[in-house]
């Protein structure tokens, strides 16, 4: 896509000149790109809305919060947008990350609160058959390979058996999926279609996790 190609050229220059003086001199170019990006992200939202009940779309700002970071460069070198699903019944979030040589489409549960994380872990402790079935499905594997996410415990979270068959899932503190795209794939006319297809490949995972997070271990609704 032409607009994304222009955006990548801007991001490449920004990476080489990540300072406020350069950015100020190119602010009009950035403002133009942001308007074009918003149209692109809004189109993704509108298409996805045909298949899912959505919450809000959040287009991330390029300005970094450097207060607690060792890297003090003031600007991100990517464009990104997140789309939430309509709560309280639907859980999970969609994400698009556009960056030269590092673009991906992802989704899932990046930072579940302690209550939700415990509920997910308890579900996997009780029965991991369904999540294994979902993550071994052909469409899931073709798009994402496997379920990803950082581990929150080296051996086992407190209260869980380190030898449990599902300990690899129970140890996680995130449950996310990701599909990478090359720059040429991003620039192709087919990219928007592939983004939607990737999001739809998450649905069985999202719907299962939504059911888990809106019921107790006995299956009774919490909503």
């Amino acid at each position: 896509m032409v607009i994304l190609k222009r955006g990548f050229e801007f991001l490449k220059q920004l990476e080489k000149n990540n300072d406020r003086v350069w950015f100020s001199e190119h602010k009009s170019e950035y403002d133009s790109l942001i308007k074009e990006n918003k149209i692109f992200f809004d189109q993704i939202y509108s298409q996805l809305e045909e298949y899912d009940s959505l919450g809000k779309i959040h287009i991330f700002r390029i300005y970094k919060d450097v207060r607690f970071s060792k890297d003090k460069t003031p600007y991100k070198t990517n464009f990104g947008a997140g789309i939430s699903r309509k709560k309280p019944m639907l859980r999970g979030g969609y994400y698009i990350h556009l960056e030269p040589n590092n673009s991906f489409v992802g989704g899932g549960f990046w930072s579940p609160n302690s209550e939700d994380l415990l509920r997910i872990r308890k579900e996997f402790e009780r029965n991991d058959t369904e999540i294994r079935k979902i993550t071994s499905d052909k469409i899931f594997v073709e798009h994402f390979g496997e379920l990803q996410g950082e581990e929150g415990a080296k051996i086992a979270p407190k209260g869980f058996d380190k030898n449990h068959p599902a300990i690899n899932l129970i140890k996680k503190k995130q449950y996310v999926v990701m599909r990478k795209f090359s720059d040429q794939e991003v620039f192709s006319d087919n990219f928007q279609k592939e983004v939607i297809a990737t999001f739809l490949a998450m649905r069985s995972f999202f719907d299962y996790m939504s059911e888990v997070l809106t019921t107790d271990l006995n299956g009774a609704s919490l909503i």
Side-chain angles (χ1 to χ4, degrees):
M1 300 182 72
V2 176
I3 61 169
L4 299 181
K5 195 168 187 178
R6 286 200 299 267
F8 274 36
E9 289 303 318
F10 177 86
L11 292 173
K12 288 177 182 178
Q13 291 301 312
L14 177 59
E15 186 177 19
K16 296 176 182 177
N17 304 276
N18 201 326
D19 61 70
R20 291 181 174 83
V21 173
W22 185 91
F23 191 83
S24 178
E25 292 173 350
H26 295 80
K27 184 65 164 54
S28 60
E29 181 182 357
Y30 169 74
D31 289 341
S32 176
L33 288 170
I34 284 301
K35 290 178 182 178
E36 293 179 339
N37 284 347
K38 186 177 187 307
I39 292 172
F40 171 74
F41 288 135
D42 284 345
Q43 287 174 344
I44 294 291
Y45 182 93
S46 296
Q47 290 182 40
L48 186 59
E49 201 171 25
E50 297 178 13
Y51 303 97
D52 201 356
S53 296
L54 304 178
K56 294 181 178 180
I57 181 171
H58 179 74
I59 300 175
F60 296 98
R61 302 176 68 210
I62 203 166
Y63 307 98
K64 288 167 54 179
D65 183 351
V66 299
R67 290 175 297 172
F68 308 107
S69 174
K70 291 182 180 180
D71 180 1
K72 297 301 181 182
T73 52
Y75 306 106
K76 301 173 186 175
T77 55
N78 66 80
F79 299 126
I83 301 173
S84 62
R85 302 178 81 210
K86 191 166 289 185
K87 292 184 176 180
M89 288 302 297
L90 302 180
R91 304 296 179 87
Y94 302 100
Y95 178 64
I96 312 171
H97 181 100
L98 301 175
E99 181 179 9
N101 301 312
N102 187 36
S103 295
F104 62 89
V105 173
F109 304 80
W110 284 275
S111 54
N113 60 43
S114 57
E115 182 179 348
D116 283 352
L117 182 57
L118 179 61
R119 175 66 185 88
I120 293 168
R121 286 171 167 171
K122 284 291 186 182
E123 182 67 24
F124 295 160
E125 179 186 47
R126 185 186 69 84
N127 188 348
D128 65 335
T129 302
E130 187 64 24
I131 188 64
R132 301 285 190 194
K133 180 180 177 182
I134 290 168
T135 56
S136 63
D137 180 78
K138 180 180 178 181
I139 293 177
F140 185 97
V141 173
E142 284 179 351
H143 283 81
F144 311 116
E146 61 183 1
L147 183 63
Q148 302 179 41
E150 292 183 18
E151 293 186 350
K154 290 185 177 180
I155 301 175
K158 185 177 180 180
F160 292 88
D161 181 2
K162 66 180 181 180
N163 296 314
H164 191 283
I167 194 62
N168 65 315
L169 294 172
I170 294 169
K171 286 196 299 182
K172 290 182 181 295
K173 65 177 181 179
Q174 298 173 322
Y175 300 90
V176 297
V177 295
M178 181 177 69
R179 178 187 177 189
K180 294 184 177 182
F181 288 86
S182 69
D183 289 1
Q184 289 306 311
E185 287 173 326
V186 171
F187 302 153
S188 74
D189 294 337
N190 203 43
F191 180 59
Q192 198 162 309
K193 180 180 177 181
E194 286 301 313
V195 171
I196 298 299
T198 305
F199 283 156
L200 294 182
M202 303 177 195
R203 280 295 304 276
S204 58
F205 168 54
F206 279 5
D207 291 345
Y208 166 72
M209 294 288 274
S210 294
E211 182 177 355
V212 169
L213 292 171
T214 56
T215 60
D216 63 20
L217 283 170
N218 295 316
S221 175
L222 298 173
I223 304 300

